[in-house]
Amino acid sequence: MTTTPDADAGLVGAFPTPGPLLGTAYRDLYLAAEGSDNQKATIGDPNLLPKPWDPPTCRNPQLRAELWTWLDAVVIWVNHEYMCWGPPRAPSRPAGPCTPTSSTNSP
């Protein structure tokens, strides 16, 4: 069996989507800043909300696990996309699965 690139995949892979707990954390932060007075009252003190860019504020173990899983996926995405579509290959940069088959890697 041979494999071919997925025609619908596009040139760049999709950026990893945060999970539902991270989505809720970001939504709550948004509502704390931009929501109605009723929404802000429901949210409570925004200083107590988890801030995903500051992992120690994510006290819920499930949220923290989801955050680290998502961050791992982001690192993999960045490394893959940079290696595939980054600047021309330097001598110290090994050829990889995205390296063009031509003798040059310049546009």
Side-chain angles (χ1 to χ4, degrees):
M1 173 167 69
T2 60
T3 60
T4 58
D6 184 359
D8 294 330
L11 203 57
V12 177
F15 188 79
T17 303
L21 296 174
L22 280 169
T24 299
Y26 278 111
R27 185 201 67 216
D28 288 349
L29 288 164
Y30 172 78
L31 292 175
E34 302 293 331
S36 67
D37 289 340
N38 188 32
Q39 289 169 322
K40 290 178 181 181
T42 302
I43 298 268
D45 184 358
N47 294 318
L48 300 177
L49 293 174
K51 296 161 187 71
W53 59 88
D54 186 11
T57 66
C58 300
R59 293 177 208 56
N60 176 321
Q62 289 85 13
L63 173 60
R64 191 177 284 206
E66 188 175 291
L67 173 63
W68 288 117
T69 300
W70 178 67
L71 290 173
D72 284 343
V74 169
V75 168
I76 291 167
W77 181 86
V78 167
N79 287 337
H80 177 268
E81 296 306 321
Y82 178 77
M83 288 300 293
C84 286
W85 310 112
R89 188 161 38 96
S92 62
R93 186 171 161 194
C98 302
T99 304
T101 55
S102 66
S103 61
T104 178
N105 196 10
S106 59

